[in-house]
Amino acid sequence: MSSDDPISQLEEALLAVDEAEAESIVMRCVQELTPLDCAERVVSPALRRIGAGWEEGKVALSQVYIAGKICERMLDRLLPETHQTRRQRPRMAIANLEDYHNLGQKIVWSVVRASGFEIENYGRMDAASLAQKAGREGIEVLFVSTLMLRSALRVEELRNRLSKEASRPWLVVGGAPFLFDTELWQRVGADEMGAEASAAVEVARRRAGGTA
Amino acid sequence: MRKTTPMERVLTTLGHKEPDRVPVFLLLTMHGAKLLDLSPRSYFGRAESMVKAQIKMREMLGHDCYYGFTFAAAEARAFGAEIIYFPDGPPNASKPPVSRPEDIDSIDAPDIAAMAELQEALKLIRGLKAAAGSDVPVIGVVMSPFSLPVMQMGFEGYLDLLMTDRDRFWRLMDVNRRFCADWGNQQLEAGATAIAYFDPVSSSTVITREQYLETGQKVAKRTLPMIKGPTVTHLASGRCLGRVQDIADTGTSGLAVSAMDDLGEVKHEAAGRLSVVGNLNGIEMIRWTRKVAEDRVREAVAKAAEGGGFVLSDNHGELPSQVPWDVLRWIMDAAQRYGRYEGRADR
């Protein structure tokens, strides 16, 4: 390991897909911090750096995917030991809007959970069903992942339907169409766009009002 | 003086010489359905409609190829996927047919003759070849054996296979390679001039260079020699900087460049071993003004036209039907105006 900083060490281990080393770093961390604090102060920043690397073209999606899975698994194992649960607020959900490719959705879900937040995974849904379910379940932040352009354009319909629900979730979109046209999220009426998975964690912290 | 044909233009640039102007590939699929006011299911279900539309679109726009591609999910259909038709987008494959890694143990290459969607694509190519003669390139498409599993297994399931079960991964590659080569060769026999080898999983967007050298590159090196005609590797918007020479080592003739990569840097990295194709942003194109279209074309020409080895095109391999006809005309006008090799202002 080239650095004494646990965030850099964890980032390196995750990029090398060295799960044993990643676990060793996190175990050292939880000797001084609770698992949730470790998730916030070490795991989440490491994942954010990996996500930023992907956005810059320096890190591959396969690395982002595995890093999220490894960290999510570690927290799943650690939390019960300390009787802690993931942060329940804001109430969040992620859905794949009409696409049959769910990798982006899975990555965001893993990264958010690895960072200590709970998030529902609604799977693949159409705009009407998604708006109803999010409204019924009191979702405060709704992440929508799309791969196909036609699905991205469906966000406008989702936005219109959500506006009729009593709760008006904060709507965050992500996926390839939004990366290739950085104005698209505004045109379809989303509240913001995430360029990579760890942006969702920042949204969660912000929408929690800093109380998470 | 006889006008240069599109075929001459394209062959000259692929030979790394400068033709009269930069050739332009407008890779149009769903626009054909829009033109004929047909549903995608009706349009893709009848080769005669697709041939008619491709001919008409080239008459309207003046680009330099016919596109013999229908939709990627047709190959997944061959392996058992269902096809979902949408009114406003290309047909998709639904639930992946390979739901467990164990399914790979009994999978076999499907019989192309029995696949209606693939047979319509062959009729399309035959019809385009009849119209093109030797004057216009007809482009066929195959999904690489390495990228097809995204539709066969789902992206997540495939990445898990790639990273944890190499024996089954290589078995699937063997099956897919036989199918891919057969499918590519049938298109060449039907009249395709060249085959676009769609391989987004090999991009640096998706896997590391180490992973690519261990897997995707090996697959391409074993597959491309089996295809009896020229190929261009297309990463469907995936990045490639840092592995352009690795891709050249597979024996492919060209490389399609993502809008996220600098076209000039990719051409530089190719060092004359590959022609570059691209890299206009088809998603952003939906809202382009005439000025933006001109600026993007001029920029691409300035970065990549020198010395030939460049075809102007979009970065994904398929233009969204939401791109207005006017934008396509503006791109062609700009290519005619700024893509000429003689008397270029930026030289």
Side-chain angles (χ1 to χ4, degrees):
Chain A
M1 292 285 144
S2 52
S3 166
D4 287 338
D5 161 32
I7 298 172
S8 300
Q9 289 173 356
L10 180 59
E11 181 192 358
E12 231 175 282
L14 291 172
L15 288 175
V17 197
D18 188 346
E19 186 162 1
E21 178 61 22
E23 184 154 356
S24 159
I25 294 162
V26 169
M27 289 312 293
R28 285 200 295 275
C29 177
V30 298
Q31 282 171 9
E32 295 176 28
L33 298 172
T34 67
L36 279 186
D37 284 343
C38 182
E40 182 175 338
R41 296 192 208 174
V42 177
V43 174
S44 183
L47 291 174
R48 190 163 58 245
R49 288 185 192 180
I50 290 172
W54 180 77
E55 205 183 337
E56 292 161 18
K58 296 176 185 159
V59 169
L61 198 64
S62 60
Q63 292 172 297
V64 178
Y65 169 64
I66 283 294
K69 269 182 92 157
I70 288 173
C71 292
E72 186 195 359
R73 276 200 293 259
M74 283 196 291
L75 202 59
D76 279 346
R77 284 197 295 271
L78 288 169
L79 281 172
E81 292 172 12
T82 56
H83 305 289
Q84 279 190 309
T85 58
R86 287 181 168 87
R87 296 183 175 92
Q88 305 293 313
R89 299 307 292 265
R91 276 195 56 70
M92 299 187 287
I94 184 164
N96 176 339
L97 191 59
E98 300 194 13
D99 277 345
Y100 284 91
H101 294 294
N102 65 351
L103 183 65
Q105 172 190 21
K106 177 63 201 289
I107 290 173
V108 170
W109 186 74
S110 288
V111 167
V112 168
R113 296 188 85 243
S115 302
F117 287 92
E118 196 53 85
I119 177 171
E120 298 295 322
N121 187 344
Y122 285 172
R124 180 182 170 272
M125 296 193 82
D126 62 47
S129 307
L130 178 53
Q132 278 177 8
K133 188 172 171 73
R136 196 168 55 237
E137 298 189 2
I139 295 301
E140 296 166 289
V141 181
L142 180 61
F143 297 97
V144 169
S145 170
T146 71
L147 179 66
M148 311 299 290
L149 175 63
R150 67 167 302 276
S151 303
L153 295 172
R154 280 279 174 287
V155 171
E156 188 170 2
E157 180 192 340
L158 174 65
R159 167 82 288 160
N160 290 338
R161 288 181 182 273
L162 285 170
S163 300
K164 294 177 182 142
E165 297 290 328
S167 69
R168 188 193 179 282
W170 189 252
L171 181 57
V172 185
V173 296
F178 298 104
L179 294 179
F180 279 88
D181 183 355
T182 53
E183 294 181 11
L184 182 58
W185 67 272
Q186 292 168 302
R187 288 208 308 280
V188 297
D191 293 306
E192 71 181 285
M193 171 200 139
E196 46 80 27
S198 61
V201 179
E202 299 312 305
V203 173
R205 291 207 175 97
R206 206 180 336 115
R207 298 306 294 180
T211 58
Chain B
M1 189 173 155
R2 187 179 70 80
K3 282 171 72 172
T4 305
T5 67
M7 185 72 85
E8 288 166 344
R9 185 173 293 128
V10 170
L11 290 178
T12 302
T13 205
L14 294 182
H16 298 274
K17 292 185 168 31
E18 294 180 351
D20 60 334
R21 65 158 171 82
V22 170
V24 183
F25 283 1
L26 295 180
L27 300 177
L28 299 163
T29 54
M30 289 281 299
H31 276 84
K34 200 162 111 172
L35 182 71
L36 300 183
D37 197 23
L38 291 172
S39 71
R41 186 190 288 268
S42 299
Y43 179 69
F44 290 117
R46 229 173 135 248
E48 291 83 353
S49 301
M50 293 189 274
V51 171
K52 181 178 169 183
Q54 285 284 324
I55 292 170
K56 181 90 183 136
M57 289 189 291
R58 213 184 80 76
E59 283 171 2
M60 283 163 53
L61 297 164
H63 52 290
D64 294 297
C65 73
Y66 288 127
Y67 203 27
F69 175 58
T70 57
F71 53 95
E75 292 194 33
R77 172 83 180 92
F79 283 89
E82 294 295 319
I83 297 178
I84 313 281
Y85 287 90
F86 301 107
D88 54 353
N92 272 194
S94 65
K95 189 167 171 295
V98 178
S99 52
R100 308 169 309 150
E102 295 80 359
D103 294 342
I104 293 169
D105 299 341
S106 55
I107 205 171
D108 208 354
D111 178 12
I112 290 170
M115 296 297 141
E117 292 82 8
L118 299 183
Q119 291 303 309
E120 279 315 296
L122 290 177
K123 284 187 211 168
L124 165 63
I125 291 175
R126 283 187 210 107
L128 293 176
K129 177 62 179 174
S134 56
D135 287 349
V136 183
V138 177
I139 310 299
V141 170
V142 296
M143 296 303 124
S144 79
F146 187 60
S147 292
L148 183 56
V150 172
M151 290 189 287
Q152 291 169 310
M153 302 184 69
F155 218 146
E156 187 183 350
Y158 181 42
L159 282 183
D160 287 339
L161 183 83
L162 194 59
M163 288 189 248
T164 62
D165 194 343
R166 284 288 166 98
D167 285 344
R168 285 206 170 99
F169 163 75
W170 284 115
R171 180 165 200 285
L172 184 58
M173 291 302 105
D174 284 341
V175 170
N176 286 356
R177 194 171 62 246
R178 287 201 301 278
F179 171 74
C180 173
D182 187 14
W183 177 224
N185 287 331
Q186 287 200 32
Q187 292 179 72
L188 290 167
E189 283 158 24
T193 314
I195 298 294
Y197 179 81
F198 269 70
D199 199 13
V201 179
S202 286
S203 68
S204 58
T205 302
V206 181
I207 57 174
T208 65
R209 182 170 180 256
E210 184 183 50
Q211 288 168 332
Y212 172 63
L213 295 175
E214 284 171 6
T215 57
Q217 191 198 48
K218 285 186 177 158
V219 173
K221 280 182 170 178
R222 291 176 197 171
T223 307
L224 293 178
M226 295 168 71
I227 297 175
K228 306 297 177 199
T231 62
V232 170
T233 295
H234 206 304
L235 302 179
S237 311
R239 297 182 197 246
C240 65
L241 275 173
R243 67 186 65 168
V244 175
Q245 287 290 319
D246 300 329
I247 292 170
D249 288 343
T250 65
T252 195
S253 305
L255 175 59
V257 182
S258 171
M260 298 291 193
D261 274 335
D262 184 282
L263 190 56
E265 286 180 26
V266 174
K267 194 169 183 209
H268 180 74
E269 195 173 307
R273 293 183 69 200
L274 293 171
S275 295
V276 295
V277 180
N279 67 339
L280 302 178
N281 185 333
I283 305 269
E284 199 189 69
M285 215 183 264
I286 292 167
R287 59 177 172 87
W288 281 0
T289 61
R290 180 193 286 274
K291 180 167 187 323
V292 171
E294 280 187 5
D295 288 348
R296 296 288 187 270
V297 169
R298 288 183 81 170
E299 187 184 328
V301 166
K303 287 187 177 209
E306 180 103 20
F310 172 52
V311 176
L312 182 69
S313 191
D314 77 286
N315 87 142
H316 193 65
E318 182 176 27
L319 284 161
S321 61
Q322 292 85 356
V323 176
W325 294 109
D326 277 345
V327 172
L328 300 175
R329 288 189 189 96
W330 295 334
I331 289 169
M332 285 309 304
D333 288 346
Q336 294 276 6
R337 195 165 164 199
Y338 302 111
R340 304 212 76 78
Y341 277 97
E342 282 188 14
R344 267 176 55 206
D346 60 310
R347 298 191 113 172

